[in-house]
Amino acid sequence: MKDLVNLLKGGNKPSLLAALVNAFLGILKGVAFFFTGNVAMFAEMMHSLGDAANQFFVFIGSALSKKAPTPRFPNGYGRVVNLVCLGAVLIVAILSYETIKEGLHHFMEPATESNGMYIALSVLAIGAFLELIVLNKAAKEVLHEVGVEGKGLAIFQSVSYLKRAKPATKLVWMEDLVATGGNVLAFTAIIIAHFTGFYRLEGLVSIIIGLMMFYVVGRVFLDNARGAIGETDEEMLVHIGNLVMQDPNVTDIARLEVIKEGEFLHVELVAETDPKLSLAYLDDVRDHLTDLILNQKGVTKVTMAFDEDDGERAWNHTATMPEGNKGRI
């Protein structure tokens, strides 16, 4: 039990915060839908409940992924977070379908009046405010994970670094961006429908929110499917390769793999060197390079071997260093 608690403490904090906030908003929007019957509110209720379940599972998965390797699973549990994310998006996909179906029904048979407008608007305003706070928290976490100092509004700055964020943080960022936008859309639709009498708009907005949810499902599914299979981190591969080539004892790189294991990176390296160097000397070189690679952001495992220099240069990548790793050489 103590081990489980310690694991949960290491879970992704933005996903836990997002789960709690969305659970609260889902209940709040459910109560508002009960009193108003507003279909846009129904869409937002489904969206919030889906996000809450999704992000709670992601929090659990991110915590379990940090479990130490065992003899049975020597590579660790890093990919658990990818598997959990793949399962979690199924929940959002089902709720997306229900949201679109309800919106289509309301579009074809619109209500003749809008009930409880002020209740709905108040709930949506609260929702947009809370979702924006969670989104900004996730954006700051993105910048922290890539080692970039936040300047100005973190939400806009984090966009260019989102690809390098951890799977759990990326999912929270995307879901809360869509959630914030959904609240604003529903808020706008209710006001327009009230003053123009065009109540089909609420159904249309429900459909749009459902499609936005489906977009997140698609993006998250593809990202985590690649992670579950085992995806190469191209940027870190080039960076680590050039880092190794700076060692005077390394003449070439015969093989280098930098595989994403959930939130972590596992490196496998075969370096070519002068065959005249002694085994004892090369052992010291290996220890030095292993420590150097383990110092790079996200790297938790290094497997390294040496091979005789064949006289042909295989490594010819241009030096590229992620901003978060500057100053680590």
Side-chain angles (χ1 to χ4, degrees), residues 14-74:
S15 61
L16 178 60
L17 175 63
L20 295 174
V21 168
N22 278 294
F24 169 74
L25 289 176
I27 295 171
L28 191 64
K29 291 172 183 177
V31 173
F33 171 68
F34 178 79
F35 285 108
T36 65
N38 187 285
V39 71
M41 184 61 66
F42 172 82
E44 276 303 299
M45 177 193 71
M46 298 292 276
H47 191 178
S48 294
L49 292 176
D51 283 354
N54 200 0
Q55 289 156 347
F56 178 73
F57 282 124
V58 169
F59 169 72
I60 298 297
S62 68
L64 294 178
S65 70
K66 294 178 173 62
K67 187 177 179 181
T70 63
R72 187 176 180 184
F73 300 102

Side-chain angles (χ1 to χ4, degrees), residues 114-159:
S114 181
N115 299 318
M117 183 184 74
Y118 293 108
I119 295 176
L121 292 179
S122 299
V123 170
L124 289 172
I126 293 171
F129 176 72
L130 293 178
E131 295 284 10
L132 193 61
I133 291 175
V134 176
L135 177 59
N136 192 58
K137 173 68 175 175
K140 289 180 178 178
E141 188 69 15
V142 169
L143 298 179
H144 172 72
E145 288 173 358
V146 300
V148 175
E149 184 180 353
K151 297 177 181 178
L153 192 61
I155 296 172
F156 297 109
Q157 189 182 358
S158 64
V159 174

Side-chain angles (χ1 to χ4, degrees), residues 80-244:
V80 168
V81 67
N82 298 114
L83 295 174
V84 170
C85 286
L86 286 174
V89 296
L90 294 177
I91 300 172
V92 182
I94 294 170
L95 294 178
S96 301
Y97 166 76
E98 292 296 331
T99 300
I100 293 173
K101 185 176 76 172
E102 187 68 21
L104 186 61
H105 172 74
H106 189 82
F107 184 79
M108 300 300 294
E109 299 178 16
T112 56
E113 60 178 339
S114 181
N115 299 318
M117 183 184 74
Y118 293 108
I119 295 176
L121 292 179
S122 299
V123 170
L124 289 172
I126 293 171
F129 176 72
L130 293 178
E131 295 284 10
L132 193 61
I133 291 175
V134 176
L135 177 59
N136 192 58
K137 173 68 175 175
K140 289 180 178 178
E141 188 69 15
V142 169
L143 298 179
H144 172 72
E145 288 173 358
V146 300
V148 175
E149 184 180 353
K151 297 177 181 178
L153 192 61
I155 296 172
F156 297 109
Q157 189 182 358
S158 64
V159 174
S160 57
Y161 299 101
L162 189 62
K163 189 176 181 180
R164 287 163 46 197
K166 294 177 181 179
T169 308
K170 186 188 298 185
L171 184 145
V172 173
W173 191 98
M174 291 181 63
E175 286 193 339
D176 278 284
L177 178 66
V178 171
T180 303
N183 278 287
V184 173
L185 278 175
F187 188 96
T188 305
I190 291 172
I191 292 177
I192 294 175
H194 176 77
F195 287 106
T196 65
F198 183 56
Y199 294 106
R200 290 180 187 269
L201 183 61
E202 294 178 359
L204 180 61
V205 165
S206 180
I207 295 171
I208 293 172
I209 291 172
L211 291 174
M212 290 165 64
M213 293 165 69
F214 262 126
Y215 172 75
V216 172
V217 166
R219 282 292 305 272
V220 172
F221 177 83
L222 291 175
D223 285 349
N224 286 281
R226 290 194 296 266
I229 295 170
E231 183 182 14
T232 297
D233 189 319
E234 295 286 352
E235 192 172 29
M236 284 298 291
L237 183 142
V238 174
H239 167 59
I240 290 174
N242 284 292
L243 196 62
V244 171

